[in-house]
């Protein structure tokens, strides 16, 4: 098994772990890390659909994470 394959398996485990989390902030963080890893994996194996899809997922996770963090800041400033 090559290092690239191992990297792909690790990315799979990271995404699987993220989907078991109840806390949305941590789900977005861990899933985003896994998506970035899969995007890199897609680049390494020259699979552009894998790279593009996971790049989009990482951006979506980042966007929703920013919304979560803004909401947390607003709530903490109010109370």
């Amino acid at each position: 098994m090559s290092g690239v394959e191992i990297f792909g398996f690790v990315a799979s485990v990271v995404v699987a772990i993220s989907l078991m989390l109840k806390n949305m902030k941590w789900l977005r963080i861990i899933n985003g890390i896994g998506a970035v890893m899969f995007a890199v994996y897609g680049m390494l194996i020259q699979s552009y659909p894998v790279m593009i899809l996971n790049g989009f997922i990482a951006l979506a996770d980042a966007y929703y994470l920013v919304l979560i963090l803004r909401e947390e800041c607003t709530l903490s400033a109010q109370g």
Side-chain angles (χ1 to χ4, degrees):
M1 185 177 305
S2 72
V4 172
E5 288 175 314
I6 292 169
F7 185 77
F9 280 115
V10 171
S12 297
V13 170
V14 171
V15 170
I17 289 170
S18 77
L19 296 175
M20 293 187 285
L21 299 174
K22 289 183 180 181
N23 183 301
M24 287 304 293
K25 179 170 75 173
W26 283 105
L27 185 149
R28 293 292 182 183
I29 291 169
I30 304 300
N31 189 266
I33 291 168
V36 168
M37 291 174 71
F38 260 122
V40 170
Y41 174 72
M43 186 176 62
L44 291 172
I45 65 169
Q46 297 179 348
S47 176
Y48 298 107
V50 171
M51 184 179 67
I52 292 167
L53 173 62
N54 284 283
F56 174 78
I57 291 169
L59 289 174
D61 282 331
Y63 173 77
Y64 285 109
L65 183 59
V66 167
L67 292 181
I68 290 168
L69 294 174
R70 280 186 184 168
E71 183 177 332
E72 285 181 0
C73 286
T74 302
L75 291 176
S76 66
Q78 290 176 353

